[in-house]
Amino acid sequence: MEIRIGIQHVNREIVLESNQSAEDILDAASRATNEGTELRLEDSNGRVIMIPGARIGYIEVGAEQQRRVGFAQ
């Protein structure tokens, strides 16, 4: 699923693909912003992204999609 994270006072947003569930991501983001700790997310390639919870502006979590094969719509 695609995740977009806006950081305060930064013009660009962070965009990553993750295999984590939407609930796990939103729970971790809520804890990070409420407790002032860092948000740690792992992307689909195994890289870890750390963001200070106090600097998170917004988080947009896309819907989980199944990969389509071929030209079917």
Side-chain angles (χ1 to χ4, degrees):
M1 94 175 41
E2 183 178 77
I3 304 165
R4 295 179 180 270
I5 303 171
I7 309 296
Q8 295 176 5
H9 309 296
V10 177
N11 292 334
R12 295 180 62 186
E13 62 188 11
I14 297 172
V15 180
L16 64 124
E17 289 286 330
S18 179
N19 296 328
Q20 294 176 283
S21 72
E23 285 185 28
D24 291 342
I25 293 166
L26 294 174
D27 287 342
S30 179
R31 281 194 310 274
T33 54
N34 290 336
E35 298 172 4
T37 60
E38 72 271 353
L39 171 62
R40 291 180 185 220
L41 297 174
E42 185 174 336
D43 71 0
S44 58
N45 295 324
R47 295 179 291 189
V48 176
I49 294 92
M50 289 179 33
I51 304 162
R55 297 290 179 209
I56 296 174
Y58 65 90
I59 296 181
E60 180 181 315
V61 179
E64 296 182 31
Q65 294 181 341
Q66 299 293 328
R67 292 184 182 221
R68 292 186 280 178
V69 178
F71 297 102
Q73 294 184 12

